[in-house]
Amino acid sequence: MPKKICVVGTGYVGLIAAVGLSDFGNNVVGVDLDKKKIDMLVQGISPIYEPGVEDYLNRNLESGRLTFTTEIAKALQESNVIFIAVGTPEKENEEADLSYVEAVVDTIAENLNEYKVIVTKSTVPVGTNRWIKELLKKKTGGNNFDVVSNPEFLREGKAAQDFFHPDRTVIGYESEKAKDIMFRVYRTLNVTSVPFVWCSLETAELIKYASNAFLATKITFINEIANLSEAVGADIHQVAKSMGMDGRISSKFLHPGPGYGGSCFPKDTKAIVSFGKKFGVKMKLIDSVIKTNELQKERMVEKIKKLSGTLKGKTITVLGLAFKQQTDDVRESPAITIIDKLLKEGVNVQAHDPKAMDNFSKLFPDIMYCHTAYDAAKNADALLIVTEWNEYRGLELSKLKTIMKGDILLDTRNLLDPDDVKEAGFIYEGVGRK
Ligand code: UDX
Ligand code: UDX
């Protein structure tokens, strides 16, 4: 049984890891530079909106197995397994920024008072774990540690479910001692028969990028077929459903939309192309996925332009700002590109989102944010649904129609029944269907 686990970084991934690992029965300390975050966590308040996480947080705080602190040196010294979960954002040249990881490795080196397993949770380019190992060796002048790569596959909005019921747990390792310790850390998952993939550091690193790049490709593929569906008069949902019945294809991630967003797909696809280049391999397919996804977001603006004639001076309602439902995260949300382009066209934007308005207003302070979807629809010429929040499925269409000035509804997530929308007096357009 490990003495204590320290999770460095209590952002999205770190918080779920800290809460989940303590729920497995481990003693966990979560560390972050951000004092405000730690103050909230100590009081049992989650800094992010993620269904279920606050319940797990409070349960484990009460059990005494989970604590939070900003005092990193003490937390590192008292732990023998350290999870690195700081951000690895995209740099201007599209590589992953490893400066936060490097800063943590420096601090670990300064506090390596006994043997420790250093586990990388953050998504890092292939070769990073070996680089961490060399860095630690150089800085400590010894080998009193092991490095492990343990990528995460959490979906925002479903992170707790994904943590406790993963499809697989991937662990890249080099020593039997580290393998044994990681086995104990995750023994609860082992009891529930979750498959474990024990592999090399490089294999684990690549599994993560390959999985995200594949899913991004699958979405981009169905978006391209959706665009073709519109042109030839086919129905994308029947096409996708039927494709998914083929077990080799599977039905997941075949939902067309305004393009993928979020904290992972955009950054990880760019990073894999970038480190592919470094290793002398041209990642032409993934490169084209990145470009095609950008075009998909822009295509939503072209659609609304085509429906509205000119956009200048029009009022447009945007429903949904988060990159997907069940999260307040707006990183790389298609709403960013769409609203940016609408503003450049001289549109007056009235927006609503059940959870993400605070985060979005940091990027776009000057658009109008409304308490309800109906408030956002007041006197609008057109309405765009950008995020698939369930509450938008239940919109009273006839009420919307009387509130709005115009009659255009662009449903970029195909949430609504086109017949219902038309019956309420709207001109309806979705993605890939009539
Ligand atoms: C994570 C992973 O790190 C990233 O690699 C993966 O691809 C997506 O998810 P995320 O948890 O979303 O990133 O990052 P973020 O929300 O930025 O959280 C990072 C946390 O680490 C922040 O709370 C930040 O304050 C903290 N931090 C950062 C430290 O405590 N120390 C540092 O040196 C840097
Ligand atoms: C993703 C991966 O699923 C997860 O395994 C990884 O660790 C982190 O990145 P996340 O970004 O939280 O998770 O959400 P996900 O549900 O994968 O959706 C990503 C984007 O793709 C969203 O913008 C979503 O709207 C879009 N999407 C997803 C589609 O447009 N169509 C689909 O069929 C599925």
Side-chain angles (χ1 to χ4, degrees), residues 311-312 337-347 349:
L311 285 178
K312 200 170 165 38
T337 308
I338 292 171
I339 290 180
D340 185 49
K341 293 222 170 283
L342 290 177
L343 292 176
K344 284 187 180 131
E345 293 275 355
V347 166
V349 174

Side-chain angles (χ1 to χ4, degrees), residues 321-335:
L321 303 170
F323 80 95
K324 62 183 234 185
Q325 66 159 337
Q326 295 298 337
T327 179
D328 60 357
D329 199 337
V330 300
R331 285 179 281 183
E332 299 283 339
S333 172

